[in-house]
Amino acid sequence: AASTEPIARWTTRRMVLWPVVDLRTKSLSPLIKGEAAGESDDEVLRRLGLGSCLVCWLSEAELASPPSAARVALLRSAGCAVGPFRLDEAAKAREWLHAGALYALLTPDPATPPAELCAAVRQAAKDAALPAERLLVVLSPAAETTSEQLLLALESLAAKTGSGCRECERPHTVGAAAGVLLLLPDAAADAALLKRVSASLAATDRLLVVVSGASLSPSLARLAELHALNLGLAAPASLGPLPRRAERVAAPTLPAAPVPSVSGGFWRRAEDVAEAPAGGEELIDAGQALAAAVRSDRPDGLLSTVVEEEGGVALGLVYSTTESVCAALRSGRGVYWSRSRRSLWRKGDSSGAWQRLCRVAVDSDGDALRFTVRQYGSPPSFFPPG
């Protein structure tokens, strides 16, 4: 069976933005790279995934083979959900999970009735020896599928009761799968449906739910709405900064596949879902999205930030702002906010002792950040206790 060890290192339940990257293309757009335009595509992807889980859309040919050395490096440096894999080919996902992917994206057969979806997912996972806590089921309702049928399918996949912990993702805290990626057509992406999904599943921590769709255009306001519902948004993202709307050139849009009318089918076919999730024509700044998921009870609005080494040893308590979080993701380094200077504090700019940023996480209460870093230079930026 695929190892469950990576889940202990990454927390996805508090993530609001799930950046979608179409890895079938040859290179990333300059708009996605932003200030990191001089960096390699692999490094930009690593930085995009520092505080999120990347939704990596790969070609069928690449998914059918073991991941390359470059892909393995990405999977081990950033949280990634990879796919889509058809349920009848779920065994292909095993090597990707072994290589470090957080999740495998599985698509059901179009003719699978909602009432039988859970059994189909469980059987595929059993046959391929895949742990449920490492699976996300991609559901794209066909035109004939009603909201009630969709909710029935989600209910069947969910855990019986919530774990009570927003950071837990273990065999006993999930149902047939850890969660779902809902690719909603415009007509289905309405507030009433999302509120029902939240109330019965996401808010009770029974199922991780990430939504995407052309009508769910990425914006901080949209993220706030979904965050309040305990839902994630899968959408194209950028390291930023993004140009003002009047200055923007054509954004790299991810094509939205048409919703086919499949006689007797409940879900869009795998070949139709092969189009990456669409988020409209706008990109969202990954750093701003991450900072927006954190609240502060301090009068100055600063975000408490614990800095730790990769082994989990706490190095110190610092503070962040939206500006410093954006700067940290764009540079891939430890960047904080100096209360004394009231400006950005880029570790190493003057001393040469700098930090490579390895991970950013939001705590389960949403009121603090954790920066996991690797220190360079002598003496180091922070000294561990002892």
Side-chain angles (χ1 to χ4, degrees):
S3 169
T4 62
E5 187 272 334
I7 297 299
R9 305 198 315 263
W10 307 87
T11 299
T12 56
R13 298 268 172 169
R14 295 295 309 184
M15 294 178 186
V16 183
L17 176 66
W18 292 57
V20 174
V21 288
D22 190 344
L23 297 182
R24 299 167 300 177
T25 59
K26 292 184 178 180
S27 59
L28 297 180
S29 160
L31 271 181
I32 293 176
K33 289 188 170 186
E35 282 187 356
E39 301 291 343
S40 68
D41 284 3
D42 289 341
E43 175 60 17
V44 171
L45 291 172
R46 186 190 77 83
R47 295 179 190 181
L48 274 177
L50 284 173
S52 308
C53 181
L54 298 177
V55 178
C56 300
W57 230 246
L58 300 167
S59 69
E60 185 175 352
E62 184 171 6
L63 291 173
S65 304
S68 65
R71 292 291 188 238
V72 170
L74 173 62
L75 298 177
R76 292 180 178 178
S77 63
C80 296
V82 299
F85 301 93
R86 296 202 307 267
L87 276 186
D88 59 357
E89 297 181 341
K92 294 179 180 179
R94 189 185 305 114
E95 290 192 75
W96 289 82
L97 292 176
H98 273 307
L102 280 184
Y103 299 108
L105 301 168
L106 303 181
T107 59
D109 184 280
T112 304
E116 299 177 13
L117 179 62
C118 177
V121 172
R122 288 189 184 278
Q123 188 62 51
K126 179 180 179 181
D127 293 343
L130 301 177
E133 64 271 21
R134 305 287 297 281
L135 306 179
L136 293 182
V137 180
V138 182
L139 294 180
S140 186
E144 295 86 350
T145 303
T146 66
S147 295
E148 296 303 323
Q149 289 174 322
L150 176 58
L151 290 169
L152 174 63
L154 298 180
E155 179 68 34
S156 71
L157 295 172
K160 297 301 180 184
T161 58
S163 68
C165 175
R166 297 295 294 176
E167 297 199 11
C168 292
E169 205 158 71
R170 297 293 183 185
H172 64 282
T173 66
V174 301
V180 294
L181 171 58
L182 290 180
L183 307 185
L184 298 174
D186 290 354
D190 57 32
L193 174 63
L194 296 181
K195 286 181 179 178
R196 292 181 65 184
V197 171
S198 171
S200 61
L201 299 168
T204 55
D205 197 30
R206 294 175 55 213
L207 189 70
L208 174 64
V209 181
V210 183
V211 297
S212 183
S215 64
L216 294 170
S217 57
S219 66
L220 292 179
R222 173 64 73 180
L223 283 172
E225 294 172 6
L226 294 175
H227 188 43
L229 296 173
N230 295 289
L231 304 175
L233 174 65
S238 168
L239 284 178
L242 292 168
R244 294 192 301 270
R245 185 179 300 272
E247 299 174 348
R248 294 190 187 184
V249 297
T253 61
L254 293 180
V259 179
S261 178
V262 182
S263 178
F266 297 93
W267 318 107
R268 286 166 58 191
R269 298 184 300 265
E271 53 267 33
D272 296 315
V273 179
E275 299 291 357
E281 296 185 357
E282 298 294 330
L283 293 168
I284 191 165
D285 188 300
Q288 291 184 6
L290 177 60
V294 191
R295 57 183 172 81
S296 174
D297 56 5
R298 293 174 53 88
D300 55 14
L302 296 179
L303 307 175
S304 300
T305 304
V306 175
V307 183
E308 68 170 19
E309 290 183 313
E310 291 175 282
V313 176
L315 297 174
L317 174 67
V318 295
Y319 295 92
S320 298
T321 62
T322 297
E323 182 183 359
S324 69
V325 171
C326 289
L329 263 60
R330 290 166 189 168
S331 64
R333 292 175 49 181
V335 182
Y336 312 103
W337 185 260
S338 171
R339 290 181 295 169
S340 59
R341 295 192 297 267
R342 297 183 180 180
S343 63
L344 288 181
W345 175 23
R346 301 177 186 272
K347 293 296 298 179
D349 275 2
S350 57
S351 67
W354 62 285
Q355 299 170 335
R356 174 182 170 88
L357 188 56
C358 302
R359 186 65 181 160
V360 182
V362 181
D363 84 325
S364 58
D365 294 325
D367 59 1
L369 288 166
R370 182 181 70 223
F371 276 38
T372 303
V373 302
R374 185 181 304 163
Q375 301 201 102
Y376 294 88
S378 181
S381 303
F382 288 93
F383 291 95

